[in-house]
Amino acid sequence: MTKILAPSEFIYFLSCSCSAVNQWHVSNDTVFCKKCSRTFYFNENVLDLISESELDHIAGRERQSSLRIPDNTDEFLRSVRMERYFIWRNYHSRSRKKPMKWLARQLMRTNYRQIFLMGAGTGRELLYFQQFVQLKTVLCSDVSGKVLKMIPCRCEPYNYTIALFTADIKRYTIIDKESPIIFINVLHHTSDMHAILEGYCKRAYSDIFMLESCDNVIMRFFARFGLSRRKEYSGIIPDRLNIRKMQAICRKHRYTLSLKTWWIFPRDYYYGLFGRIPGFENMFFFIMEILTTVTGLFKFGNVVTAHLKKS
């Protein structure tokens, strides 16, 4: 049975967005910052630590776009149960299986008690991680509280302890430097993903993990035609991680970098081009695996998984 933490049980791992540390006054459903005199509310299991006036236009659009998501927990729960049943059998989960397994193996090499999952959304990655590593305490953050409210439904059958809070990842509100921080498809939704990554490295967090779309000459060519960087539901055109920039950031801030590149073909492109060919999906994944293996020797792909370990 999943346990949801109250603010008093996790707030001291976090700072206020005004940079105040250990300046909290906590009651049952509110958290008050003594420095900036703001009150934050705990509602439907989510502690909302965002002041919308502090968000840049990209984070603001992400937060506003989530308000269009229907409030139908029963329907979401039915879809989640179907997703659990078909895990590793539908195209999306199959395309994520090996990258998530790689991240899980890297995570198991760390001495972690809890993890921070940034940009957690509705918690789909928790379902994937569960297949490879037994997570216990997960502090889930997103710019939108509405999507975080769905996570307890997704974690229904698992013995998780979960904290749910909204935060702007550009504010660096995590003060726990020892717990791993995991970014899965979230940095590319920011205004400058490399600057934000460097900001986390400057603060010397012990372990940073990520799964992000990455750049290369082929992706830049497709981007000219709007094929590799497309406008999403929020109206944002996501960026791609530059591996050389990430390597330079790691050298500058003394992080040991382990990474692996992958080729993942977007689901809608696959169904548009090959969806009507019976039995082709297995062959397609075999081809993509060979491509990933060969080009991986040169750290060349359109998706990267990485573990940044503080030296």
Side-chain angles (χ1 to χ4, degrees):
M1 186 71 177
T2 295
K3 175 187 176 184
I4 308 297
L5 294 178
S8 60
E9 298 176 283
F10 69 88
I11 191 61
Y12 295 103
F13 295 122
L14 307 171
S15 70
C16 181
S17 60
C18 72
S19 301
V21 177
N22 293 329
Q23 294 293 311
W24 300 114
H25 175 74
V26 185
S27 66
N28 290 333
D29 57 357
T30 62
V31 174
F32 178 76
C33 176
K34 300 174 186 176
K35 180 179 178 180
C36 66
S37 300
R38 285 182 296 175
T39 300
F40 304 96
Y41 295 93
F42 184 65
N43 184 35
E44 296 186 78
N45 296 323
V46 179
L47 178 61
D48 191 358
L49 293 175
I50 284 181
S51 294
E52 296 200 12
S53 61
E54 295 179 342
L55 298 176
D56 64 21
H57 73 284
I58 291 179
R61 290 177 70 174
E62 287 279 354
R63 185 172 168 94
Q64 288 299 316
S65 64
S66 70
L67 298 178
R68 299 196 297 266
I69 299 173
D71 270 323
N72 192 330
T73 305
D74 291 338
E75 183 177 333
F76 178 77
L77 188 55
R78 285 194 295 270
S79 69
V80 164
R81 286 170 176 165
M82 289 294 291
E83 190 174 21
R84 283 199 294 263
Y85 180 78
F86 286 105
I87 192 167
W88 312 143
R89 287 185 280 179
N90 61 48
Y91 183 88
H92 181 81
S93 64
R94 288 186 70 181
S95 68
R96 293 293 186 270
K97 181 177 182 178
K98 291 190 175 181
M100 293 300 293
K101 185 176 183 179
W102 187 93
L103 283 178
R105 286 179 172 176
Q106 293 290 317
L107 180 62
M108 285 188 287
R109 294 175 182 174
T110 68
N111 185 24
Y112 71 93
R113 298 188 310 258
Q114 61 187 23
I115 66 169
F116 288 88
L117 183 60
M118 311 301 287
T122 61
R124 176 180 283 164
E125 283 70 29
L126 292 175
L127 172 62
Y128 295 165
F129 266 127
Q130 180 66 26
Q131 311 303 311
F132 306 114
V133 60
Q134 296 299 310
L135 301 175
K136 293 183 179 179
T137 302
V138 186
L139 292 89
C140 300
S141 170
D142 199 276
V143 74
S144 167
K146 189 167 185 178
V147 294
L148 289 173
K149 289 190 296 185
M150 302 296 186
I151 289 181
C153 297
R154 193 180 290 279
C155 298
E156 179 189 44
Y158 307 125
N159 190 27
Y160 281 140
T161 299
I162 290 177
L164 305 174
F165 64 98
T166 64
D168 182 358
I169 63 173
K170 291 173 63 178
R171 296 285 170 174
Y172 309 106
T173 54
I174 299 172
I175 60 176
D176 175 7
K177 300 295 180 70
E178 301 303 318
S179 298
I181 299 175
I182 303 177
F183 300 97
I184 298 182
N185 294 323
V186 58
L187 289 177
H188 67 272
H189 287 280
T190 60
S191 55
D192 189 338
M193 64 193 303
H194 301 95
I196 291 173
L197 175 61
E198 183 163 14
Y200 279 89
C201 292
K202 282 181 180 178
R203 288 159 177 80
Y205 294 102
S206 61
D207 293 277
I208 301 172
F209 295 86
M210 67 177 67
L211 187 160
E212 293 286 346
S213 301
C214 63
D215 194 22
N216 60 50
V217 64
I218 295 176
M219 293 298 102
R220 287 193 293 272
F221 173 78
F222 284 131
R224 295 180 182 179
F225 305 97
L227 297 175
S228 66
R229 293 183 62 197
R230 299 177 293 169
K231 185 179 291 188
E232 298 197 345
Y233 69 93
S234 61
I236 294 167
I237 300 178
D239 198 1
R240 285 183 170 271
L241 186 71
N242 185 295
I243 291 177
R244 289 186 178 180
K245 287 184 179 181
M246 178 171 64
Q247 291 170 329
I249 290 169
C250 289
R251 287 192 297 269
K252 180 179 178 180
H253 298 285
R254 298 183 179 181
Y255 276 82
T256 301
L257 175 63
S258 303
L259 68 86
K260 182 172 176 59
T261 54
W262 314 80
W263 284 97
I264 296 179
F265 203 66
R267 177 175 51 186
D268 55 340
Y269 283 5
Y270 173 81
Y271 285 120
L273 294 172
F274 310 115
R276 296 183 180 181
I277 304 176
F280 183 67
E281 189 172 304
N282 288 337
M283 177 61 71
F284 183 78
F285 274 101
F286 178 70
I287 294 169
M288 297 302 287
E289 185 173 347
I290 292 175
L291 181 63
T292 290
T293 301
V294 173
T295 60
L297 299 173
F298 310 99
K299 309 300 183 187
F300 191 80
N302 69 339
V303 170
V304 61
T305 47
H307 175 199
L308 289 66
K309 177 73 174 177
K310 183 64 177 175
S311 299

